[in-house]
DNA sequence: GTGAAAGCGCTAACAG
DNA sequence: CTGTTAGCGCTTTCAC
């Protein structure tokens, strides 16, 4: 049941069927109706494999994400999906586990014409490699980005956001502020760390290296463990009186770990997170955090990519979306 | 840069290039090497659009999910992705919002040959409609399924699982057990509700209709609201002393709502959830819940679908995976 | 306003 | 072991 059977059925040529299917002008209303009737009654559907070969586009957007299981990424993905759909594109979702090998093989989908463009949320270290080999392949960076890579991006000002978090803690009278970070590969992690460091020194404080922990993980459990370690490293006033975690998942784990160590939040130690995932408002105590516009981050990334696809030569800007400090009870 | 340029470059025919690209036998090692060299140096990549048209398969699996933002679904999706990848397939992810219209238009991707098969996690009501119009289209149901639909499925025994939850509450001496459910469209919700009802009556209790609430949502906030309403409907011993929520997200909201209403968990009211999402172990008190093998659910669904694709005539079984009561502190 | 025909880039008979 | 060739089903000039 191909386009030619429909053509036969309607007593027209395949060209005409194609025209009405694609809503072209220059088809007599009468003919159009005849074709439509044939389409209806035959239950015909275009074979988009064929159409795509012919038009040389897949109408698929590739999304490469370290872990959809992380609520932050899941929301971003939803944002991408929503605007892709709106524009007649679908989303190929690839969970890379931030693994360079997997990442590269996924990215190859672009070269194989299985996707028209890609959105990458993976570590900047990987993105740099991608950019080198990618030639002019259409892709954009989302959330994690390196301005120097020269690829369109959307994200937030991680440096300032981290500074805002730390300054809030400072304003609340905290002085022994720890940072629980997610590790090196991510530029956002480095930027937040720098924001933390600078905010501290600007306040006349000397960052204590014992209180700067890098985890290489965003898991709840990792946060809990790290917090327990921090708390058990000394007496209550020789250990941090505040912890800034670079993600809400970590922060929630931190609160749990602190509880296990017998520390009260925020009385003994204040905790501030990052992202503002849905569950952050539900826990006890409700989490103070730096909110990112997760869905909008995804939507913008998709828009940038679509823009790039529509006009490959135009220079697409990098865009920074606003973050916002959401003060609840944990800090 | 097509296969024919590579052929020219290597001084062979396109057929030969195709053979080495697809790892066919019957190619002299020497020729093979010559071709490989040409491929390397030209940076050639197959156009899978063309290959797919020719072989009449897209090697894409469509996943239709009500909401990837829900941690439960996100984990299932990861499971699907992992086995799809393992078998050379990629995943088209569609967030349907459980909307029948969107769902149907996504499902049409199968007919348009953009996906080889589909995995549906949407409400059974939608699945029934799908099954009627779907003819012999290859798809499987995952988590949410109706045995009567005659489509391969994977899930758990929701009726028994709910019963197990309620019996646990009963064993802990609770008698005024409320159910917070997610609403009608989902068969799993009905099954869990029936399991709840039957477990109660088997214990000689009469279910109190005031304590059976249907939410039509899995949001944290919805759970919180429902719990607050339940708690404020009367004095402490005229309101539930236990709440069974059909999802951890709801349960976490419930705990929050209860706290807001001045009720202690589990002292005043025990709370039990469903799914065992990662955050369930982190909150205060740690959530007692019915664990589902989320990733394995997704992996199995993908395997069933792949099986169906490999052998369309074989009858693929429905499979029920084990659930497990995870007792923590909330109940 | 409509049709004929040429491909898109690939795979798979079929020959040799 | 390798080459020739016929499509896969569609869109799109180019004629009429």
């Amino acid at each position: 049941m191909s386009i030619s059977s429909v053509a036969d059925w309607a007593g027209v040529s395949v060209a005409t069927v194609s025209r009405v299917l694609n809503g072209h002008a220059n088809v007599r209303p009468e003919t159009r109706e005849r074709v439509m009737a044939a389409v209806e009654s035959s239950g015909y559907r275009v074979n988009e494999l064929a159409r795509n070969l012919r038009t040389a586009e897949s109408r698929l957007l590739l999304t490469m994400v370290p872990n959809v299981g992380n609520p932050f990424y899941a929301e971003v993905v939803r944002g991408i999906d929503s605007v892709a759909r709106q524009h007649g594109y679908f989303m190929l979702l690839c969970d890379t586990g931030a693994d360079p090998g997997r990442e590269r093989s996924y990215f190859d989908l672009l070269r194989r014409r299985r996707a028209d463009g890609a959105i990458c949320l993976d570590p900047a270290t990987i993105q740099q490699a991608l950019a080198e080999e990618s030639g002019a392949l259409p892709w954009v960076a989302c959330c994690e980005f390196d301005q120097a890579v020269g690829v369109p991006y959307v994200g937030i000002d991680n440096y300032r956001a981290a500074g805002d978090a730390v300054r809030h803690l400072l304003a609340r009278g905290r002085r022994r502020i720890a940072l629980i970070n997610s590790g090196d590969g991510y530029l956002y992690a480095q930027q937040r760390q720098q924001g933390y460091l600078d905010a501290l020194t600007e306040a006349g404080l000397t960052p204590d290296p014992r209180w700067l922990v890098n985890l290489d993980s965003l898991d709840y459990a990792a946060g809990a463990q790290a917090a327990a370690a921090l708390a058990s490293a000394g007496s209550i006033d020789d250990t941090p009186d505040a912890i800034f975690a670079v993600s809400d998942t970590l922060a929630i784990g931190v609160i749990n770990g602190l509880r296990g160590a017998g520390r009260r939040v925020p009385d003994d130690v204040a905790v501030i997170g990052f992202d503002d995932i849905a569950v952050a408002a539900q826990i006890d105590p409700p989490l103070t955090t730096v909110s990112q516009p997760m869905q909008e981050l995804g939507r913008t990334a998709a828009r940038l990519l679509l823009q790039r696809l529509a006009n490959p030569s135009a220079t697409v800007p990098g865009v920074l979306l606003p973050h916002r400090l959401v003060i609840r009870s944990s800090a």
Side-chain angles (χ1 to χ4, degrees), chain A:
Chain A
M1 136 172 16
S2 66
I3 199 173
S4 79
S5 20
V6 176
D8 290 352
W9 229 90
V12 298
S13 73
V14 295
T16 300
V17 177
S18 175
R19 284 192 192 98
V20 346
L21 253 29
N22 293 288
H24 289 189
N26 291 344
V27 175
R28 202 159 10 121
E30 182 190 313
T31 315
R32 176 182 306 281
E33 272 173 36
R34 204 138 39 85
V35 171
M36 289 309 279
V39 168
E40 295 292 323
S41 64
S42 66
Y44 167 80
R45 289 289 191 292
V46 280
N47 180 332
E48 303 207 18
L49 249 33
R51 170 183 289 175
N52 290 342
L53 171 60
R54 183 55 228 239
T55 59
E57 58 174 15
S58 65
R59 298 203 75 84
L60 256 34
L61 263 28
L62 174 63
T63 297
M64 296 179 295
V65 64
N67 176 8
V68 242
N70 184 306
F72 170 74
Y73 288 124
E75 282 305 316
V76 177
V77 162
R78 292 185 70 199
I80 295 172
D81 184 66
S82 76
V83 351
R85 182 177 57 241
Q86 242 172 351
H87 293 259
Y89 281 79
F90 293 94
M91 187 183 66
L92 220 49
L93 180 70
C94 292
D95 204 305
T96 63
D99 172 56
R102 235 196 275 174
E103 166 83 27
R104 287 188 39 162
S105 85
Y106 281 140
F107 194 74
D108 220 43
L109 289 171
L110 282 191
R111 282 190 263 266
R112 305 192 171 192
R113 322 300 311 248
R114 301 220 28 182
D116 293 342
I119 296 172
C120 183
L121 290 82
D122 280 301
T125 47
I126 295 182
Q127 293 189 13
Q128 285 146 6
L130 244 42
E132 281 170 23
E133 329 163 2
S134 78
L137 258 21
W139 66 282
V140 305
C142 178
C143 302
E144 168 76 356
F145 61 94
D146 180 351
Q147 319 213 171
V149 160
V151 156
Y153 64 82
V154 56
I156 64 160
D157 184 337
N158 287 295
Y159 176 83
R160 269 206 24 223
D164 290 347
V166 172
R167 281 184 287 274
H168 171 73
L169 262 12
L170 257 9
R172 289 284 210 253
R174 309 291 168 155
R175 287 297 173 270
R176 303 191 307 282
I177 302 177
L179 172 69
I180 296 194
N181 207 341
S182 65
D184 40 359
Y186 290 94
L187 200 55
Y188 80 76
Q190 292 173 225
Q191 293 162 336
R192 291 178 198 173
Q193 176 161 324
Q194 199 57 52
Y196 155 85
L197 257 15
D198 289 359
L200 246 34
T201 53
E202 270 162 29
L205 262 30
T206 308
D208 186 328
R210 292 173 304 159
W211 298 342
L212 200 169
V213 2
N214 273 285
L215 250 32
D216 240 11
S217 168
L218 289 177
D219 292 352
Y220 297 103
Q225 236 174 281
L230 237 28
S232 62
S235 74
I236 196 157
D237 33 45
D238 191 35
T239 51
D241 61 3
I243 297 180
F244 168 36
V246 296
S247 118
D248 284 350
T249 51
L250 251 22
I252 289 170
V254 163
I255 292 181
N256 187 25
L258 254 16
R259 187 185 310 121
R263 297 285 211 274
R264 293 164 307 160
V265 176
D267 308 14
D268 298 331
V269 14
V271 175
I272 189 165
F274 208 107
D275 294 342
D276 197 21
I277 59 179
V279 75
Q282 303 291 328
I283 62 165
D284 183 30
L287 188 66
T288 291
T289 189
V290 178
S291 166
Q292 294 198 64
M294 301 178 280
Q295 292 216 21
E296 188 57 25
L297 248 9
R299 280 189 233 112
T300 305
R303 275 190 221 108
L304 290 179
L305 180 55
L306 257 14
Q307 207 171 315
R308 184 126 169 37
L309 292 177
N311 191 345
S313 57
T315 67
V316 175
V319 5
L320 251 30
L321 260 25
H323 61 270
R324 192 167 52 86
L325 188 64
V326 176
I327 300 172
R328 288 196 271 248
S329 319
S330 70

